[in-house]
Each structure stands twice: as C-alpha cells, then as structure tokens.
Amino acid sequence: RSAPVRYVHMVATAYSGSTLLGMLLGSHPGLATVGELITPVRYGRIVQSGEPYPCSCGVPMIECAHFDALRVRCRELGVELDLYDYGIKIQERGPSRHLPGAKRRAAAAVDRGRTIARALLDVTGRSVFLDTTKDLAPLPALARHPGLDLKVLHLIRDPRAFLHSTRKRQGAGAGSQTRFWRRTHEQALAAGRRLGPQRFHTLRFEDLCREPERRLAEVCAFLGLPPANLLELAPRTTHHMMGNRARLAPFAGITLDATWEESLSTREQARCLRAAGPLATRFDYR
C-alpha cells in the first residue's frame, strides 16, 4: 500500500478569500493545488456559454500543458480525467448520506480524488495537496479514507462582509444568507472538534489581510510545510487553478475590502450580527 496522500481540504463560504489563499499557498514549493477540485466547471457560465474554460495561467485549460500532464499521469494511475468534471462531487446531503449506497458512492468519489491528488503531486514534485472547493459534504468521507492524511483549513470572514458580497452579486435577502453563514461555520467547527486541533485550523480572513506574513507562517506550520515568503513568491509563480475569476488576475498583494461598512446600514449590520448568533462574538465580529 502506498503512503497516505497529505490532503488539505478548505472549508468556507463563498466570498471569503479562498481563491486568494489558495493562490498564496499554491506558491509554496511544497504544496500543489488546482483550486476547486470538486466543483465541476462544466456547469459554470463560461462553459455553458460555449467558451473554453481558462486556466489561471492564461490559456484554455484543455490546451494547458500542466493539465495535460495531469491527465496523462491520472491515466497511468488508472483514472480517466475529464478536465471539465473530475467526477468526485458528493451529491448526498442530510440523512440520506448515511445510507449504505450513499456511503459507497462517497468512498468511491474520495478514492478517485485521492488518485487525482496523487497524480498532481507526482507531476509537480510537491508533497501536500490542497483543494479549495469549500464544500462541507466531503468531510466525513475524506476523514474515513485510510489513504489520506487529512487536514482541514477553515476560512472565516465577517458575516457583514459576506452579506454585502452576496447581495452585490446575487441580490439575496439578508436573513437567509446570514443564517447560511452561521450553519456553515457551526458545521465546520463541529467537524473540527471531531478531527482535533492537529487536523483542523481556523483562519479569519481579516487576520490574513492585516498580518499576512504571520498568518501564512501559521498555516504553513499547521500543514507541516517549511517557512516560505509566499507574498514574494506569489507574483512570480505561474498558477494552474480552477475557481472564480479572481484567479485570472495577477497577484497584487492583500487588501481588506471594508466597503460593507458603508453599504450596509447600521440596522442591517445589527440584524446580520444577530442572525450570525454567538459565532459572531466568538470570532470577534462586533
């Protein structure tokens, strides 16, 4: 049996800085990522419109030499890879995920994901794999898989900033979105209690923006990676990532966007914090 794959799964809500953090960590000479591994790009607006999906290196992903090498190595390891759908999304949620058939499908998806991660590490010569998908659903199956040395990176952002970003892009109501924020992070922390502190690390996005060197060093230590100046490496690194459009822009440093402070009224901010519940206080969002 081969050695377990050192596999990092990121958990967060949307608009929390996961793409930025993935690019920074992907600049480390010991870590490899393709960004959002689990989310099929086939169903995104770019592919649905008939356009080729762009790799973050600037060329269509189906023409990218890096992804072609990944596909070849996956085939050598027994997995045929569709770059637009890696085939590892776990569909079952809620009580149905405990049914025997659902567990078998989840185990098969995670086993396929492990092979893809192994292939990427082989192609890049790196030792730690990172998936920035943010989804909570795979965690139980990932934690059960004997071929993974799993760690979870939990990224959290101020619920008022999340509300502002969601409303700006989706026009969603305040209450439902903040309750989603709360449920996501409550479930993430519950998973963290089961995994233990050696396998679960929480990072506030605001802390990353204010103290990037310190916080990135803490994350690297958690992942068992040697220190590296990621802020200097990031703009010099050619990234090959899937995910939101932020991955297509050159790295230009870290800035904290606080436009929500003006766009949300005092009443909306107070309502958001109430809906976020005790988690807002726990993470010092006041």
Side-chain angles (χ1 to χ4, degrees):
R1 180 184 293 272
S2 59
V5 172
R6 296 170 65 187
Y7 193 108
V8 184
H9 185 77
M10 190 182 296
V11 172
T13 63
Y15 318 124
S16 294
S18 60
T19 299
L20 171 63
L21 181 56
M23 291 184 72
L24 286 164
L25 293 175
S27 305
H28 195 291
L31 183 142
T33 182
V34 292
E36 297 185 7
L37 179 72
I38 293 174
T39 304
V41 301
R42 180 181 306 282
Y43 304 107
R45 284 175 291 188
I46 295 174
V47 177
Q48 290 289 296
S49 70
E51 297 295 319
Y53 189 84
C55 174
S56 57
C57 72
V59 304
M61 190 166 70
I62 56 175
E63 299 176 11
C64 175
H66 175 83
F67 278 103
D68 187 58
L70 174 61
R71 184 164 45 187
V72 169
R73 181 57 181 150
C74 281
R75 183 178 296 122
E76 292 171 349
L77 295 177
V79 168
E80 289 297 326
L81 195 60
D82 177 351
L83 294 178
Y84 281 3
D85 186 349
Y86 283 30
I88 62 173
K89 189 171 181 63
I90 295 175
Q91 304 292 343
E92 289 87 0
R93 298 173 184 269
S96 66
R97 72 183 188 277
H98 299 297
L99 297 175
K103 284 190 173 183
R104 284 194 297 271
R105 287 188 291 273
V110 170
D111 197 56
R112 180 179 172 88
R114 178 192 181 277
T115 301
I116 296 169
R118 176 74 272 161
L120 183 66
L121 296 179
D122 290 346
V123 165
T124 59
R126 300 185 178 188
S127 59
V128 177
F129 172 82
L130 169 67
D131 177 16
T132 68
T133 303
K134 306 182 291 293
D135 195 359
L136 281 160
L139 279 186
L142 288 170
R144 286 194 299 266
H145 198 290
L148 297 180
D149 178 6
L150 176 68
K151 292 191 176 183
V152 175
L153 187 55
H154 172 219
L155 183 62
I156 187 167
R157 189 182 181 192
D158 191 309
R160 294 163 293 187
F162 167 71
L163 172 60
H164 165 66
S165 295
T166 305
R167 180 181 292 176
K168 183 169 62 175
R169 293 168 175 82
Q170 302 177 10
S176 63
Q177 289 303 310
T178 309
R179 286 192 292 273
F180 171 76
W181 179 95
R182 184 182 67 201
R183 287 196 304 273
T184 297
H185 294 300
E186 285 175 344
Q187 293 171 15
L189 292 171
R193 288 190 291 272
R194 292 190 293 271
L195 291 169
Q198 300 302 314
R199 301 173 70 193
F200 187 90
H201 179 82
T202 296
L203 172 65
R204 291 195 337 155
F205 180 68
E206 294 77 14
D207 294 335
L208 174 63
C209 293
R210 293 179 180 124
E211 304 176 297
E213 295 89 351
R214 174 186 170 188
R215 300 302 175 174
L216 289 169
E218 290 174 350
V219 172
C220 288
F222 165 69
L223 299 180
L225 292 169
N229 191 333
L230 301 184
L231 295 177
E232 287 190 3
L233 290 171
R236 304 203 304 263
T237 300
T238 300
H239 298 278
H240 302 280
M241 293 178 62
M242 301 175 288
N244 71 37
R245 67 185 67 182
R247 70 200 163 82
L248 301 175
F251 177 77
I254 303 176
T255 57
L256 181 61
D257 180 2
T259 53
W260 62 265
E261 296 178 359
E262 295 182 359
S263 67
L264 299 181
S265 68
T266 302
R267 178 176 295 181
E268 287 173 321
Q269 293 182 33
R271 188 185 305 130
C272 179
L273 290 178
R274 285 197 300 271
L279 281 183
T281 302
R282 173 173 178 173
F283 289 102
D284 202 26
Y285 296 129
R286 304 174 187 274

